[in-house]
Amino acid sequence: MTSDPSPQTNPDPIPPRSFLIVNGARVYRLNRETISLGRHIDNDIVISDPHVSRHHAQLRVTKGYFILFDLDSTGGNSVNGEPITQKVLNGGDIISLAGVPIIFGQGEVGEGSFSGAETPASDDLSDTDTTLLVEGIEADRYLEMFDIKSKKD
């Protein structure tokens, strides 16, 4: 009987149907175990705001949840108005990265959430990339799920 000396690692499951609404204008599907956010172009999600650090924060999957970690950013982070260095996220949490509003969403999108418009075909997208689902006026439909007005209203 031969045993395999290399340890088996089972990655934590990525929470299904998770997304971020960034600044009320861009919606990203979250499909990776680690997602970096910041101003520099090498981040998974680039936030072009001078108050956001080059490598500002990171989302990591742990035990089936996304956890937001501050990467010693200059402007800081908060979740639901509370300053954080790390925080387990729940659907509907409102994140602030140096003042840039981000909504963490999770779960099924109900048919009524899109006011008759078709839901983006996110199931056709790669499950290995952080994917920009929609931007601009289309992102307003995601904001409606949380009964939030876009910043231009």
Side-chain angles (χ1 to χ4, degrees):
M1 183 187 247
T2 308
S3 67
D4 184 1
S6 62
Q8 295 256 342
T9 59
N10 292 330
D12 287 325
I14 297 171
R17 295 178 179 86
S18 298
F19 59 92
L20 292 180
I21 304 170
V22 178
N23 210 16
R26 293 177 290 149
V27 180
Y28 291 90
R29 179 173 161 178
L30 306 176
N31 288 338
R32 296 175 56 190
E33 292 176 15
T34 304
I35 298 165
S36 59
L37 300 100
R39 197 176 68 238
H40 196 270
I41 61 170
D42 66 353
N43 287 286
D44 297 306
I45 298 176
V46 177
I47 302 172
S48 300
D49 184 288
H51 298 102
V52 172
S53 297
R54 287 176 292 201
H55 298 100
H56 196 99
Q58 195 173 67
L59 290 170
R60 297 181 206 150
V61 174
T62 303
K63 297 183 181 180
Y65 293 95
F66 274 107
I67 300 176
L68 177 68
F69 289 88
D70 180 58
L71 299 178
D72 295 324
S73 64
T74 305
N77 299 297
S78 68
V79 175
N80 300 325
E82 297 293 323
I84 62 102
T85 55
Q86 68 181 34
K87 172 85 170 140
V88 175
L89 297 176
N90 296 297
D93 280 347
I94 299 173
I95 302 164
S96 174
L97 265 59
V100 174
I102 297 173
I103 299 171
F104 175 76
Q106 196 170 32
E108 286 288 336
V109 175
E111 286 181 32
S113 299
F114 285 90
S115 306
E118 289 188 32
T119 304
S122 60
D123 290 336
D124 296 335
L125 299 172
S126 166
D127 284 341
T128 58
D129 294 327
T130 301
T131 308
L132 176 63
L133 292 174
V134 295
E135 61 184 327
I137 196 157
E138 293 297 314
D140 289 346
R141 295 187 183 127
Y142 279 83
L143 290 171
E144 289 172 7
M145 292 188 310
F146 299 100
D147 196 28
I148 296 172
K149 302 272 188 219
S150 68
K151 65 178 184 173
K152 60 185 173 287
D153 288 345

